[in-house]
Amino acid sequence: MKTVLKLSALTAALLLSTAIPAQTLQAWMSPEVKQAWNLGYKGQGVTIQVVDDFRSSSRFSGNFGTGTLTQRHGEWTRLEAGLIAPSAKIASVDFTGTGAIGLARGLNVLNLSYGMFAANGYSNSQIGWDNQEKSIIAYAKNGSAIVSKAAGNNAVAVGAATSQGQVDYLNRALVGAQSAIFVGALSKNGTVAAPASLASYSNYAGSDLAVQKNFLVVGVEGSKTGLYGTSFAAPIVSGYGAILGSKFKTATPTQITNQLLNTARKDTVANYSAAVHGRGEASIARALAPVSIK
C-alpha cells in the first residue's frame, strides 16, 4: 500500500467547538451572504467540521476583517467558515488524525482545505488510506455529509499530476462521490457587470465530466485579506452549505450539494467553460430561492 503525504494548502482527531465573532458582512464576502442572513438563514442546526492543520508550528498572517491575526492554516479556514455561517456549530479536526470522523446529529459539512499527495501512477486502491480519510470518502460517496474539497493550487485539472509529477489522491478518490464538491478560486467575486476570472494558481475542472458535474468556483479576494488559495474557497462553499441547510432542514447532504451545483451562475464568470469552471460560481441567493428542493 502506498502512503500519501497530507499537505494543507499549507493533527487522534481533535474536536473543539469554536466561538466565532459576531456576524458582519466583510468586504471579501459576496453580498448574497448578507441577503441570506437577513432572511434568517445563518447555518443554525448544521455542523461544519473543518479538517485541517490545528497543531503544527506553522503560522501566517492575514485579516478577514476581524483584525490582523497570525494563525495556523486550520484556524484560518475554521474562522472563514464560521464568518460565512455564524450560527453553525464549527468543529476542528486535526488533519493528521487517523481515527474515523464521527458525524454530529443533523446536517454535517466537512471542509477539506488540504490534499494527500504521492507520485503519479497509483490507483486509488493502492493508497494506504487511514481511517480518517476512509470515513471522509465514504461519507461523500454514500451521501452522509457534504464534503467541500479545495481543488488545489497547482493550476492543473483536478486529479491530474503537477509539474513535479505529484497527484492529490484525495481529489481522485472523491471524483464521482454524490455529496462532494470540488471548489476552485476566482480572483474576485463575480458580477454580471464585472465577471471574474479563475485565479492563476487555481486548479480547474478539466475534461472529466464527473469532475465538471461537481465543481464550483467562488471569489477569493486575497488583495483584501492577504490570504490566497483554494484553501479559502472551500470554506465559503462549506458556509453556503450550512446556510442552505438552515432553510431546508430535512434535506439530505446530497440534496444540498445538488442545489448548490444546480444554481451556480455562469454569467458572473469571464469566458465561462465547463472544463475550467465546472458548474460556475456558487450563488447562495439562487440556492435559497425555491420553497423546497429535491
Side-chain angles (χ1 to χ4, degrees), residues 1 122-129 141 169-170 172-174:
M1 297 289 282
Y122 297 97
S123 67
N124 288 337
S125 63
Q126 292 176 299
I127 300 300
W129 303 110
K141 287 186 174 181
Y169 283 91
L170 186 53
R172 284 192 177 176
L174 292 170

mmCIF file of all heavy atoms in Angstrom, residues 1 122-129 141 169-170 172-174:
data_model
loop_
_atom_site.group_PDB
_atom_site.id
_atom_site.type_symbol
_atom_site.label_atom_id
_atom_site.label_comp_id
_atom_site.label_asym_id
_atom_site.label_seq_id
_atom_site.Cartn_x
_atom_site.Cartn_y
_atom_site.Cartn_z
ATOM 1 N N MET A 1 0.847 -1.197 0.000
ATOM 2 C CA MET A 1 0.000 0.000 0.000
ATOM 3 C C MET A 1 0.880 1.245 0.000
ATOM 4 O O MET A 1 1.845 1.336 0.752
ATOM 5 C CB MET A 1 -0.894 0.004 1.226
ATOM 6 C CG MET A 1 -1.875 -1.151 1.281
ATOM 7 S SD MET A 1 -3.181 -0.987 0.056
ATOM 8 C CE MET A 1 -4.200 0.220 0.875
ATOM 9 N N TYR A 122 -0.343 5.531 -9.303
ATOM 10 C CA TYR A 122 -1.028 4.576 -8.433
ATOM 11 C C TYR A 122 -2.533 4.623 -8.674
ATOM 12 O O TYR A 122 -3.092 5.636 -9.060
ATOM 13 C CB TYR A 122 -0.746 4.891 -6.957
ATOM 14 C CG TYR A 122 0.702 4.777 -6.583
ATOM 15 C CD1 TYR A 122 1.510 5.907 -6.536
ATOM 16 C CD2 TYR A 122 1.261 3.544 -6.290
ATOM 17 C CE1 TYR A 122 2.855 5.812 -6.209
ATOM 18 C CE2 TYR A 122 2.602 3.433 -5.949
ATOM 19 C CZ TYR A 122 3.391 4.571 -5.920
ATOM 20 O OH TYR A 122 4.717 4.472 -5.597
ATOM 21 N N SER A 123 -3.191 3.513 -8.409
ATOM 22 C CA SER A 123 -4.650 3.503 -8.393
ATOM 23 C C SER A 123 -5.107 3.875 -6.986
ATOM 24 O O SER A 123 -4.340 3.764 -6.019
ATOM 25 C CB SER A 123 -5.185 2.120 -8.765
ATOM 26 O OG SER A 123 -4.857 1.180 -7.754
ATOM 27 N N ASN A 124 -6.355 4.310 -6.869
ATOM 28 C CA ASN A 124 -6.875 4.661 -5.545
ATOM 29 C C ASN A 124 -6.818 3.484 -4.585
ATOM 30 O O ASN A 124 -6.619 3.657 -3.375
ATOM 31 C CB ASN A 124 -8.312 5.172 -5.660
ATOM 32 C CG ASN A 124 -8.386 6.558 -6.282
ATOM 33 O OD1 ASN A 124 -7.426 7.314 -6.249
ATOM 34 N ND2 ASN A 124 -9.536 6.885 -6.855
ATOM 35 N N SER A 125 -6.985 2.273 -5.109
ATOM 36 C CA SER A 125 -6.962 1.082 -4.249
ATOM 37 C C SER A 125 -5.573 0.787 -3.702
ATOM 38 O O SER A 125 -5.426 0.027 -2.744
ATOM 39 C CB SER A 125 -7.482 -0.134 -5.022
ATOM 40 O OG SER A 125 -6.636 -0.424 -6.116
ATOM 41 N N GLN A 126 -4.547 1.377 -4.299
ATOM 42 C CA GLN A 126 -3.178 1.167 -3.827
ATOM 43 C C GLN A 126 -2.760 2.154 -2.755
ATOM 44 O O GLN A 126 -1.693 2.039 -2.180
ATOM 45 C CB GLN A 126 -2.204 1.274 -5.007
ATOM 46 C CG GLN A 126 -2.317 0.142 -6.016
ATOM 47 C CD GLN A 126 -1.392 0.351 -7.196
ATOM 48 O OE1 GLN A 126 -1.502 1.334 -7.925
ATOM 49 N NE2 GLN A 126 -0.463 -0.580 -7.386
ATOM 50 N N ILE A 127 -3.606 3.130 -2.495
ATOM 51 C CA ILE A 127 -3.275 4.144 -1.495
ATOM 52 C C ILE A 127 -3.595 3.623 -0.104
ATOM 53 O O ILE A 127 -4.655 3.035 0.134
ATOM 54 C CB ILE A 127 -4.057 5.447 -1.764
ATOM 55 C CG1 ILE A 127 -3.706 5.994 -3.145
ATOM 56 C CG2 ILE A 127 -3.780 6.480 -0.680
ATOM 57 C CD1 ILE A 127 -2.243 6.333 -3.340
ATOM 58 N N GLY A 128 -2.674 3.856 0.830
ATOM 59 C CA GLY A 128 -2.872 3.406 2.210
ATOM 60 C C GLY A 128 -3.667 4.414 3.017
ATOM 61 O O GLY A 128 -3.129 5.079 3.895
ATOM 62 N N TRP A 129 -4.963 4.501 2.721
ATOM 63 C CA TRP A 129 -5.810 5.443 3.436
ATOM 64 C C TRP A 129 -5.888 5.083 4.908
ATOM 65 O O TRP A 129 -6.034 3.909 5.267
ATOM 66 C CB TRP A 129 -7.232 5.432 2.861
ATOM 67 C CG TRP A 129 -7.346 5.725 1.404
ATOM 68 C CD1 TRP A 129 -7.677 4.852 0.415
ATOM 69 C CD2 TRP A 129 -7.120 6.982 0.755
ATOM 70 N NE1 TRP A 129 -7.676 5.482 -0.805
ATOM 71 C CE2 TRP A 129 -7.342 6.795 -0.624
ATOM 72 C CE3 TRP A 129 -6.766 8.251 1.214
ATOM 73 C CZ2 TRP A 129 -7.210 7.823 -1.550
ATOM 74 C CZ3 TRP A 129 -6.638 9.271 0.302
ATOM 75 C CH2 TRP A 129 -6.856 9.056 -1.067
ATOM 76 N N LYS A 141 -19.288 9.459 -0.690
ATOM 77 C CA LYS A 141 -19.823 8.500 -1.662
ATOM 78 C C LYS A 141 -21.246 8.068 -1.319
ATOM 79 O O LYS A 141 -22.083 7.890 -2.219
ATOM 80 C CB LYS A 141 -18.902 7.277 -1.749
ATOM 81 C CG LYS A 141 -17.595 7.559 -2.488
ATOM 82 C CD LYS A 141 -16.772 6.301 -2.673
ATOM 83 C CE LYS A 141 -15.551 6.563 -3.539
ATOM 84 N NZ LYS A 141 -14.739 5.334 -3.745
ATOM 85 N N TYR A 169 -4.278 12.477 -4.387
ATOM 86 C CA TYR A 169 -5.112 11.280 -4.476
ATOM 87 C C TYR A 169 -6.432 11.431 -3.723
ATOM 88 O O TYR A 169 -7.381 10.699 -4.004
ATOM 89 C CB TYR A 169 -4.333 10.048 -3.990
ATOM 90 C CG TYR A 169 -3.352 9.562 -5.029
ATOM 91 C CD1 TYR A 169 -2.037 10.024 -5.044
ATOM 92 C CD2 TYR A 169 -3.756 8.683 -6.027
ATOM 93 C CE1 TYR A 169 -1.144 9.599 -6.022
ATOM 94 C CE2 TYR A 169 -2.878 8.248 -7.004
ATOM 95 C CZ TYR A 169 -1.566 8.712 -7.001
ATOM 96 O OH TYR A 169 -0.693 8.291 -7.986
ATOM 97 N N LEU A 170 -6.503 12.380 -2.799
ATOM 98 C CA LEU A 170 -7.785 12.631 -2.150
ATOM 99 C C LEU A 170 -8.762 13.221 -3.162
ATOM 100 O O LEU A 170 -9.948 12.879 -3.162
ATOM 101 C CB LEU A 170 -7.602 13.549 -0.946
ATOM 102 C CG LEU A 170 -8.826 13.789 -0.065
ATOM 103 C CD1 LEU A 170 -9.458 12.481 0.393
ATOM 104 C CD2 LEU A 170 -8.451 14.653 1.138
ATOM 105 N N ARG A 172 -8.705 12.554 -6.376
ATOM 106 C CA ARG A 172 -9.091 11.428 -7.233
ATOM 107 C C ARG A 172 -10.121 10.531 -6.560
ATOM 108 O O ARG A 172 -11.050 10.050 -7.200
ATOM 109 C CB ARG A 172 -7.854 10.610 -7.617
ATOM 110 C CG ARG A 172 -6.993 11.254 -8.691
ATOM 111 C CD ARG A 172 -5.962 10.287 -9.225
ATOM 112 N NE ARG A 172 -5.180 10.892 -10.301
ATOM 113 C CZ ARG A 172 -4.155 10.287 -10.892
ATOM 114 N NH1 ARG A 172 -3.794 9.066 -10.523
ATOM 115 N NH2 ARG A 172 -3.489 10.908 -11.858
ATOM 116 N N ALA A 173 -9.948 10.325 -5.257
ATOM 117 C CA ALA A 173 -10.858 9.420 -4.544
ATOM 118 C C ALA A 173 -12.265 9.976 -4.450
ATOM 119 O O ALA A 173 -13.227 9.217 -4.297
ATOM 120 C CB ALA A 173 -10.314 9.129 -3.148
ATOM 121 N N LEU A 174 -12.403 11.307 -4.523
ATOM 122 C CA LEU A 174 -13.716 11.938 -4.374
ATOM 123 C C LEU A 174 -14.439 12.140 -5.701
ATOM 124 O O LEU A 174 -15.608 12.553 -5.709
ATOM 125 C CB LEU A 174 -13.570 13.276 -3.659
ATOM 126 C CG LEU A 174 -13.152 13.189 -2.180
ATOM 127 C CD1 LEU A 174 -12.805 14.570 -1.644
ATOM 128 C CD2 LEU A 174 -14.251 12.544 -1.337
#
